[in-house]
Amino acid sequence: MTTTDHPQAAPTTTTSTAHAQLLGLLARDLAPDRLTTDPAVAAAYATDRSGTRPGGGPLAVVHARRTEDVTIALRHAHALGVAVVPRGAGTGLSGGASAGEDALVLDLSGMDRILELSPEDQLAVVEPGVITAELDRAAGEHGLRYAPDPASAALSTIGGNIATNAGGLRCAKYGVTRDSVLGLEAVLADGTVVRTGRRTVKGVTGYDLTALLTGSEGTLAVITSATLRLFPEPVATATIAAYFSSVEAAADASFAISRAGVVPALAELVDGPVLEAVDPALRERGAALLLVQCDGAGAVAEAEAVARVVEPLATSVEQTADPAEAEALLAARRLALPALERLGRPLIEDIAVPRSRLAEAVRGIRAVSARHDVPVFTIAHAADGNLHPIIVVDPSLPRLPDAAWDAADEIFALALRLGGTLTGEHGVGVLKRQWVADELGPAAYALQRRLKAAFDPHGILNPGKAL
Amino acid sequence: MTTTDHPQAAPTTTTSTAHAQLLGLLARDLAPDRLTTDPAVAAAYATDRSGTRPGGGPLAVVHARRTEDVTIALRHAHALGVAVVPRGAGTGLSGGASAGEDALVLDLSGMDRILELSPEDQLAVVEPGVITAELDRAAGEHGLRYAPDPASAALSTIGGNIATNAGGLRCAKYGVTRDSVLGLEAVLADGTVVRTGRRTVKGVTGYDLTALLTGSEGTLAVITSATLRLFPEPVATATIAAYFSSVEAAADASFAISRAGVVPALAELVDGPVLEAVDPALRERGAALLLVQCDGAGAVAEAEAVARVVEPLATSVEQTADPAEAEALLAARRLALPALERLGRPLIEDIAVPRSRLAEAVRGIRAVSARHDVPVFTIAHAADGNLHPIIVVDPSLPRLPDAAWDAADEIFALALRLGGTLTGEHGVGVLKRQWVADELGPAAYALQRRLKAAFDPHGILNPGKAL
């Protein structure tokens, strides 16, 4: 195929020779259905669920279907020094997939095959565009599951989950995405394909590149396949819903569960304003809700231990071992984000603090909210100390109000002051970059920049993100 | 203090100006009790439990007591280009701490303080020289435990465990060392102190340097403190000991447990020759033993599920929920290495294979043993697919017999052919270096070398190890 096959090969929207050359080479080397240069179509790839809007639309979009498409795109972009933004389903909340006018978007959502699912070795090999819930469903046919369950699981891709080291509800017991990634195939900035990790659950040959790439937000390499650990579905679950007269009391109860030595499969805290948004009838039951689920052969015994610890602190406690009833109890948590989206544009923060500081974090967030007169809604993966304070702004405003920025800033400062982190599971993206150096410190920050250069000497991979 | 305070400051055993300069600077900058230059004393630091003997004794030994001692040693060694070998208790089985005549040994065993133990946040902050079992004991006072339990736990240090990403018996359920490391303080080759990770259980700010340093065998940085996750002690355990008419049947039983969806806390396989070495009476009970322990609130129910799966394959099955009886059953495993050490010098291999290939690996090892007429004793962390084939050689021989080398070589090839790895938990050290590039492939190997250079541009940290 030659460039003349593609009317868009030298589009007028590119401003530099490098961009024009890149589009020509991509049109020459990729199948026609793998490349979009129409600015109107490409514009849809400029942002992600964070709503972050860079100036201008992306240069073009490569719709990768095979690893070879990725190597072609990267090899040419590397040679020409053009920025590349890898992208899954675009459900990121930190702007990690936002792409401005100088960037080539590398859309991996079409690499969506489950290449292997081995019930024997309890693992799956998947392409990055596989929807997370779809893998979990496929594993379920064999009595297995994919443990990480970010709230976006029905929409987000495995590649995006790995890029952000996504968390979810079940992390307290089953770990984050990193704990389920055994190995990766990834393409380096220059187009070299590397394989990391292994198919075994243990192995220490070489440096742990698998963990290094997990959570690197597309800045070190582009993941083209992942070998993922699957876990047996638990034989039983038992679920508790407890209401409290204050959100601090709910946080104290979560901490008491941890102190009692119980590791629940999930422990979700929902504060009063969120309950009100989901259903005013729930808010009437208490000022905060704590949902705890235990699973496995000891689920009922563990739930009873949880109930004993929680009852003295709660205003009401319900318990069930019935999965349908459990889902009804969990609905208050699952409906939180859709309910807040009805109120406006939610800015979802993602701080994490040591478990013992959870009540203090909750109190600090409330003080920030009051000080800036900004309503802050809080849900938390309580057993992890991972809080999502959510600022809801009027979507009709031309830009975010200063008070919202100031509140977010103080929430980050609060997290660091409590010995915590800016982001527990969503990633830094563009939204949290200005605070990263504060958390890492200058020596670790400089080291991270050297690592970035060792992977991507021309700096083409998702520039301006993560670091 | 000046160099004249130290008669050993310019020892005659060093051959180059750089070595003499380094000893002078160390004598000037370190407290007198922190430096050994007496060749007779330093010679004891030339090897580790692998028995690997490099030519000549080390240049000198720095006995670090504080991070500052490490920074002083590294800063000068970096400037002068002298090799540094970090060392904990010297219990490594791959030669990772062996030190030849050009090397400065950095002995971290004296940095042995538990700096913090927080029952609230279920974590400890420790110096690298803390003995692993000592941390576990200290955690036990608060109803917690340090989950990784390498067989060397009573002797080995946390720093060495992190350097090799050590495993142990409880990995199947509780993960390897990496899964318990939340954050590190480490000194880079040039003396810069970096902090990685955090005190929270979740966090995705920056690249995962904590995981990258874990398992890097002292080649990227020297760990000076670690923030480690602690887990609640299980409320109950239940233990099963099953004998089989063949080692393949025991491997099949282990795989059947995994297929049944049970995740045991440990599953140890002991083959007939090992049983014979421990106690001929045990060998009379069967040709292989599988020990399985379940823990937590569902321990007894899980053990019953295990027994149901194992019984049709076994010749006898015993079960107990009594901890003292459990320890008696586990003695057959715990006494394996001491028993083999009575027979000669054990060369402990450490391959790991996908769980479904365990029986095949066991069969392959037996074939290698027969082909080379080399007795191979096998114990395995069966639930992880991690096998330790142990070749016992006559300690009076001047060097390892060729047949032993050939057998080891074929065992590595077998591991890779079955989709496995050279080393599940012991590390590459010097003994497995020649096979590393085969496992990693050329692109990942080259990338790893670039990472090494980004951390340690002069190549002073544990040269000739790991990669």
Side-chain angles (χ1 to χ4, degrees):
Chain A
M1 182 191 320
T2 68
T3 56
T4 55
D5 292 327
H6 273 264
Q8 308 97 327
T12 54
T13 50
T14 56
T15 51
S16 78
T17 316
H19 291 164
Q21 276 186 292
L22 177 63
L23 293 176
L25 291 165
L26 294 175
R28 184 193 72 188
D29 292 345
L30 292 170
D33 63 336
R34 309 285 158 92
L35 186 65
T36 291
T37 54
D38 178 341
V41 179
Y45 293 79
T47 188
D48 59 19
R49 207 170 163 197
S50 69
T52 315
R53 267 208 182 273
L59 177 63
V61 182
V62 169
H63 307 280
R65 305 283 297 181
R66 297 289 177 269
T67 299
E68 199 192 8
D69 298 332
V70 177
T71 63
I72 290 169
L74 289 178
R75 200 172 65 235
H76 292 315
H78 174 79
L80 293 162
V82 176
V84 175
V85 178
R87 179 187 182 88
T91 58
L93 294 166
S94 303
S98 62
E101 61 185 331
D102 292 331
L104 178 70
V105 172
L106 186 47
D107 169 21
L108 298 149
S109 62
M111 290 183 72
D112 59 358
R113 294 175 301 169
I114 296 178
L115 301 172
E116 180 190 350
L117 201 156
S118 165
E120 290 74 29
D121 289 324
Q122 300 184 356
L123 61 79
V125 182
V126 305
E127 290 184 328
V130 169
I131 300 293
T132 304
E134 175 58 24
L135 170 62
D136 193 40
R137 197 201 54 70
E141 290 178 12
H142 304 276
L144 299 170
R145 68 180 186 185
Y146 177 64
D149 62 340
S152 62
L155 305 168
S156 61
T157 63
I158 291 292
N161 288 184
I162 296 172
T164 54
N165 190 14
L169 275 57
R170 300 194 285 236
C171 299
K173 185 163 178 179
Y174 294 96
V176 292
T177 295
R178 187 193 76 171
D179 300 300
S180 286
V181 183
L182 294 170
L184 296 170
E185 178 191 86
V187 184
L188 301 182
D190 67 1
T192 307
V193 178
V194 295
R195 283 175 194 82
T196 75
R198 51 195 62 82
R199 288 170 66 91
T200 55
V201 287
K202 278 160 92 175
V204 292
T205 307
Y207 304 135
D208 192 348
L209 299 183
T210 309
L212 190 63
L213 293 180
T214 303
S216 66
E217 301 190 35
T219 65
L220 296 181
V222 176
I223 293 160
T224 47
S225 106
T227 303
L228 302 171
R229 195 168 179 176
L230 303 175
F231 287 88
E233 279 179 346
V235 293
T237 62
T239 307
I240 283 176
Y243 283 87
F244 299 84
S245 59
S246 72
V247 64
E248 284 93 337
D252 284 339
S254 167
F255 180 45
I257 295 167
S258 154
R259 263 198 328 248
V262 180
V263 180
L266 64 84
E268 294 292 309
L269 185 153
V270 184
D271 82 352
V274 175
L275 291 175
E276 178 77 34
V278 172
D279 182 350
L282 295 175
R283 177 65 186 84
E284 280 168 25
R285 300 192 58 190
L289 167 64
L290 183 66
L291 293 158
V292 180
Q293 192 166 80
C294 300
D295 69 12
V300 170
E302 286 185 345
E304 278 161 12
V306 167
R308 275 194 299 279
V309 164
V310 167
E311 264 159 9
L313 300 161
T315 53
S316 76
V317 179
E318 273 174 89
Q319 190 174 339
T320 182
D322 178 76
E325 283 177 28
E327 275 311 302
L329 293 176
L330 288 173
R333 168 64 181 85
R334 298 208 191 276
L335 295 174
L337 197 54
L340 296 179
E341 281 172 337
R342 284 196 300 272
L343 300 182
R345 178 182 161 202
L347 302 177
I348 307 174
E349 297 311 340
D350 173 41
I351 63 171
V353 297
R355 281 180 281 220
S356 63
R357 315 303 286 271
L358 188 65
E360 213 171 328
V362 156
R363 215 168 11 249
I365 290 165
R366 207 175 42 198
V368 168
S369 167
R371 192 152 53 241
H372 296 281
D373 195 20
V374 171
V376 181
F377 301 77
T378 296
I379 50 182
H381 307 306
D384 296 324
N386 185 191
L387 299 107
H388 296 306
I390 302 170
I391 301 171
V392 178
V393 296
D394 179 346
S396 68
L397 291 175
R399 59 181 200 82
L400 283 186
D402 286 346
W405 280 113
D406 293 345
D409 205 16
E410 288 193 17
I411 288 169
F412 293 139
L414 171 72
L416 297 184
R417 198 167 63 241
L418 295 178
T421 177
L422 298 170
T423 172
E425 56 181 16
H426 292 173
V428 169
V430 291
L431 292 181
K432 288 163 206 155
R433 270 187 86 209
Q434 57 181 305
W435 293 280
V436 167
D438 286 347
E439 180 172 334
L440 298 180
Y445 188 78
L447 176 59
Q448 300 224 357
R449 299 237 50 121
R450 291 205 298 281
L451 289 187
K452 163 73 175 171
F455 274 87
D456 177 19
H458 299 183
I460 65 162
L461 282 174
N462 221 4
K465 314 287 173 62
L467 279 189
Chain B
M1 182 190 321
T2 67
T3 57
T4 56
D5 291 329
H6 273 263
Q8 306 97 328
T12 54
T13 51
T14 57
T15 52
S16 78
T17 315
H19 291 166
Q21 277 187 290
L22 177 63
L23 293 177
L25 292 166
L26 294 176
R28 186 193 71 188
D29 293 345
L30 292 171
D33 64 337
R34 310 286 159 94
L35 185 64
T36 292
T37 54
D38 178 342
V41 179
Y45 294 80
T47 189
D48 58 20
R49 208 171 163 196
S50 69
T52 314
R53 271 215 178 267
L59 177 63
V61 182
V62 169
H63 306 282
R65 304 283 297 180
R66 296 289 178 269
T67 300
E68 197 191 10
D69 298 331
V70 178
T71 64
I72 289 169
L74 289 177
R75 201 174 64 234
H76 291 316
H78 174 80
L80 292 163
V82 177
V84 175
V85 177
R87 179 186 182 90
T91 58
L93 294 165
S94 303
S98 64
E101 61 184 333
D102 292 331
L104 177 71
V105 172
L106 185 47
D107 169 20
L108 299 149
S109 63
M111 291 183 72
D112 59 358
R113 295 177 298 169
I114 297 178
L115 302 172
E116 179 190 349
L117 202 156
S118 166
E120 291 75 28
D121 289 325
Q122 300 184 355
L123 60 80
V125 182
V126 305
E127 290 184 329
V130 169
I131 299 293
T132 304
E134 177 56 27
L135 170 62
D136 194 39
R137 196 201 53 70
E141 291 177 11
H142 303 277
L144 298 170
R145 68 181 186 185
Y146 177 63
D149 63 339
S152 61
L155 306 168
S156 61
T157 62
I158 290 292
N161 288 185
I162 296 173
T164 55
N165 191 14
L169 274 58
R170 300 195 285 235
C171 300
K173 186 163 177 179
Y174 295 97
V176 291
T177 296
R178 187 193 77 172
D179 300 302
S180 286
V181 184
L182 294 170
L184 296 170
E185 178 191 85
V187 185
L188 301 182
D190 66 1
T192 307
V193 178
V194 294
R195 283 175 193 83
T196 74
R198 51 194 63 82
R199 288 171 65 91
T200 56
V201 288
K202 280 160 91 176
V204 292
T205 306
Y207 304 135
D208 192 349
L209 299 183
T210 309
L212 190 63
L213 293 180
T214 303
S216 65
E217 301 190 36
T219 65
L220 297 182
V222 176
I223 293 161
T224 47
S225 108
T227 303
L228 302 171
R229 195 167 177 176
L230 303 174
F231 287 89
E233 279 180 345
V235 293
T237 62
T239 307
I240 285 176
Y243 283 88
F244 299 84
S245 60
S246 72
V247 65
E248 285 92 338
D252 283 339
S254 167
F255 180 45
I257 295 167
S258 154
R259 263 198 328 246
V262 179
V263 179
L266 65 83
E268 295 292 309
L269 186 152
V270 184
D271 82 351
V274 176
L275 292 174
E276 179 76 34
V278 172
D279 181 351
L282 295 175
R283 176 63 185 85
E284 280 168 25
R285 300 192 58 189
L289 167 65
L290 184 67
L291 293 158
V292 180
Q293 192 166 78
C294 300
D295 69 11
V300 171
E302 286 184 346
E304 279 162 11
V306 167
R308 276 195 299 278
V309 165
V310 166
E311 263 158 10
L313 299 161
T315 53
S316 75
V317 179
E318 275 176 87
Q319 190 173 338
T320 182
D322 178 75
E325 285 178 26
E327 276 312 302
L329 294 175
L330 289 172
R333 168 65 181 85
R334 298 207 191 275
L335 296 173
L337 198 53
L340 297 178
E341 281 172 339
R342 285 195 301 273
L343 300 182
R345 178 182 162 202
L347 302 176
I348 307 174
E349 296 312 338
D350 172 42
I351 63 171
V353 298
R355 280 180 280 222
S356 63
R357 316 301 288 270
L358 188 66
E360 214 170 328
V362 157
R363 215 168 10 248
I365 291 164
R366 208 175 42 198
V368 168
S369 167
R371 194 154 48 241
H372 295 282
D373 195 20
V374 171
V376 181
F377 300 77
T378 296
I379 48 181
H381 307 306
D384 296 325
N386 186 192
L387 299 108
H388 295 308
I390 302 171
I391 301 170
V392 178
V393 296
D394 180 349
S396 68
L397 291 176
R399 58 180 201 84
L400 281 186
D402 287 345
W405 280 114
D406 293 344
D409 205 16
E410 287 193 19
I411 288 170
F412 294 140
L414 171 73
L416 297 184
R417 199 169 61 241
L418 295 178
T421 177
L422 297 172
T423 173
E425 56 182 14
H426 292 173
V428 168
V430 290
L431 292 181
K432 289 162 206 156
R433 269 187 85 208
Q434 57 180 304
W435 293 281
V436 168
D438 286 348
E439 179 173 334
L440 298 180
Y445 188 78
L447 177 59
Q448 301 223 356
R449 300 240 47 125
R450 291 205 299 281
L451 289 187
K452 163 74 175 169
F455 274 87
D456 178 19
H458 299 182
I460 64 161
L461 282 174
N462 222 3
K465 314 289 173 59
L467 278 189

